[in-house]
């Protein structure tokens, strides 16, 4: 029959109890037969396990093994691995993902600021603002979203249609 | 910080015998001799090839035990617990040196303990062996086995209780 203190007896033998608890358990063991028996059994097991001996290797075998290891080539740097605890790896991954998201957000924000900000001088659309307004009957002006190619098409079409209208009116 | 061969030799000589004993108890009686030594050698080989200041000297012991235990688990799962040629040679070599009566008694004790340990779940067995043979603290065992300290505490206690019960059974059976 085990006492509820038996687990603490195990901790006491391993010196894993705080001093005040160790004192309490030691006092308890002196009065509890079950715990005293457990202590004796645990100590006997300890002796048996410690006394377990392996067949000794001949000295030449151990020396030979050491020599084989020392003569082996070390791994090149790119084939080495470092063991990282899982929480640390998760933290590193989170930091990398966070940085990626942050960079993407910054890039998007700067893109929006550019598109809403001052007109781009280099694009043909902005160079001729009056000609890139919405053309009736020809849909929306997407020039803000491209590099001016579409606006150039509109311009060509409009010039063509204007020329056609002028010819018609002359006739 | 590059570690030279002298340092490595010192670590090898200090840790190798204990590591072999731990592995032999972990793997079980069927795998005496070379298998435990093979795994120990492979662990040291990895340590040597890996090591270039990446593993601090103070960590070497835990690193080696952790790697050796993982290799032993692989070995056990593959069922490769066969005796090999050198194991046989070593047994013969050893038997020729010792007193037969003493050797028999030692073998018997080893077999009994090995059988008892083998009946334990692997994690309980590993925790108990690291505590009793290597005298590691619960914190150190937790690092080697990559589990929490509270789990180490419970595993060791259960291993002890289980061994104790089996030991008593054996004693009762022997006395009948």
């Amino acid at each position: 029959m085990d006492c509820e203190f038996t687990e603490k007896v195990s901790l006491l033998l391993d010196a894993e109890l705080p001093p005040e608890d160790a004192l309490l358990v030691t006092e308890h063991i002196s009065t509890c037969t079950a715990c005293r028996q457990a202590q004796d059994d645990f100590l006997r097991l300890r002796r048996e396990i410690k006394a377990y001996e392996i067949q000794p290797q001949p000295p030449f075998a151990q020396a030979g093994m050491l020599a084989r290891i020392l003569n082996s080539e070390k791994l090149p740097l790119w084939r080495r691995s470092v063991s990282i605890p899982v929480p640390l790896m998760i933290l590193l991954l989170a930091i990398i993902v966070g940085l990626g998201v942050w960079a993407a957000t910054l890039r998007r924000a700067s893109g929006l600021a550019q598109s809403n900000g001052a007109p781009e001088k280099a694009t043909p659309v902005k160079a001729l603002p009056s000609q890139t307004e919405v053309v009736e009957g020809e849909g929306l002006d997407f020039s803000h979203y491209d590099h001016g190619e579409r606006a150039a098409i509109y311009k060509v079409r409009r010039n063509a249609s204007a020329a056609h209208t002028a010819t018609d009116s002359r006739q | 910080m590059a570690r030279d061969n002298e340092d490595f030799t010192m670590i090898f000589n200090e840790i190798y015998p204990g590591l072999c004993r731990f592995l032999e108890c972990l793997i079980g009686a069927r795998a005496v001799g070379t298998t435990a030594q093979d795994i120990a050698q492979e662990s040291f080989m990895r340590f040597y090839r890996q090591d270039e200041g990446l593993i601090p000297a103070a960590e070497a012991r835990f690193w080696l035990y952790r790697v050796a235990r993982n290799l032993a688990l692989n070995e056990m799962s593959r069922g490769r617990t066969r005796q090999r040629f050198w194991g046989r040679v070593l047994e013969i070599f050893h038997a020729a040196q010792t007193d037969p009566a003493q050797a028999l008694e030692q073998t018997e004790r080893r077999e009994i303990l090995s059988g008892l340990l083998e009946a334990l779940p692997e994690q309980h067995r590993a925790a108990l062996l690291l505590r009793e043979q290597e005298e590691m603290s619960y914190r150190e065992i937790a690092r080697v086995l990559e589990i929490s300290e509270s789990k180490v505490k419970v595993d060791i206690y259960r291993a002890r209780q289980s061994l104790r019960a089996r030991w008593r059974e054996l004693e009762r059976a022997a006395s009948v």
Side-chain angles (χ1 to χ4, degrees), chain A residues 137-159:
Chain A
E138 293 202 24
L140 293 167
D141 181 0
F142 291 105
S143 59
H144 285 298
Y145 303 101
D146 61 25
H147 297 290
E149 297 89 338
R150 205 169 297 189
I153 293 167
Y154 288 141
K155 188 181 163 190
V156 170
R157 277 192 191 165
R158 205 181 67 154
N159 287 345

Side-chain angles (χ1 to χ4, degrees), chain A residues 2 14 44 46 50 81, chain B residues 50 132 135 138 161 171:
Chain A
D2 274 342
D14 294 336
R44 188 171 62 156
R46 172 171 288 177
K50 271 192 176 178
S81 62
Chain B
Q50 190 75 46
E132 302 295 36
E135 297 182 359
Y138 285 7
Q161 284 289 59
E171 279 182 340

Side-chain angles (χ1 to χ4, degrees), chain A residues 10-16 42-43 46 49-50, chain B residues 21-22 61 65 123-142 144-145 152-153 155-157 159-160:
Chain A
S10 172
L11 292 172
L12 180 75
L13 292 180
D14 294 336
E16 295 281 347
F42 292 163
L43 284 173
R46 172 171 288 177
I49 295 172
K50 271 192 176 178
Chain B
R21 185 170 70 155
F22 167 71
R61 187 172 177 230
Y65 273 87
Q123 206 157 53
H124 294 189
R125 185 163 69 233
L128 187 68
L129 288 171
L130 290 173
R131 174 62 222 155
E132 302 295 36
Q133 288 183 340
E134 304 309 315
E135 297 182 359
M136 287 187 188
S137 68
Y138 285 7
R139 179 177 294 218
E140 290 168 338
I141 296 169
V144 171
L145 302 182
V152 171
K153 183 174 90 174
D155 283 356
I156 289 178
Y157 174 64
R160 278 180 176 148

Side-chain angles (χ1 to χ4, degrees), chain A residues 2 10 14 16 37 41 44 46 48 50 52-54 57-58 65 69 73-74 80-81, chain B residues 16 21 24 48-52 90 109-110 131-132 135 138 160-161 164 167-168 171:
Chain A
D2 274 342
S10 172
D14 294 336
E16 295 281 347
Q37 186 62 54
D41 288 347
R44 188 171 62 156
R46 172 171 288 177
E48 289 294 332
K50 271 192 176 178
Y52 187 97
E53 282 178 11
I54 55 167
Q57 262 189 307
M65 185 181 289
I69 295 171
E73 281 182 17
K74 291 204 171 192
R80 287 182 191 169
S81 62
Chain B
Y16 178 77
R21 185 170 70 155
E24 195 174 305
Y48 182 72
R49 296 176 78 190
Q50 190 75 46
D51 173 36
E52 196 66 58
L90 289 173
R109 285 172 82 92
R110 272 162 49 112
R131 174 62 222 155
E132 302 295 36
E135 297 182 359
Y138 285 7
R160 278 180 176 148
Q161 284 289 59
R164 185 185 172 207
W167 196 278
R168 283 179 175 273
E171 279 182 340

Side-chain angles (χ1 to χ4, degrees), chain B residues 48-114:
Chain B
Y48 182 72
R49 296 176 78 190
Q50 190 75 46
D51 173 36
E52 196 66 58
L54 288 177
I55 305 159
E59 294 289 313
R61 187 172 177 230
F62 307 119
W63 192 94
L64 281 162
Y65 273 87
R66 187 162 52 238
V67 169
R69 186 226 175 192
N70 289 336
L71 290 172
L73 284 177
N74 292 343
E75 190 77 14
M76 284 191 280
S77 68
R78 280 188 219 132
R80 281 170 45 189
T81 47
R82 60 183 180 275
Q83 284 198 350
R84 293 181 194 168
F85 174 73
W86 271 107
R88 283 286 181 201
V89 171
L90 289 173
E91 273 177 25
I92 293 161
F93 186 88
H94 182 69
Q97 280 189 331
T98 50
D99 171 37
Q102 195 190 343
L104 185 70
E105 196 196 319
Q106 261 190 6
T107 311
E108 249 176 43
R109 285 172 82 92
R110 272 162 49 112
E111 277 176 9
I112 290 171
L113 185 64
S114 214

Side-chain angles (χ1 to χ4, degrees), chain A residues 110-123:
Chain A
S110 69
L112 280 175
Q114 266 187 359
S115 63
N116 294 332
E120 295 167 23
K121 287 174 189 171
T123 59

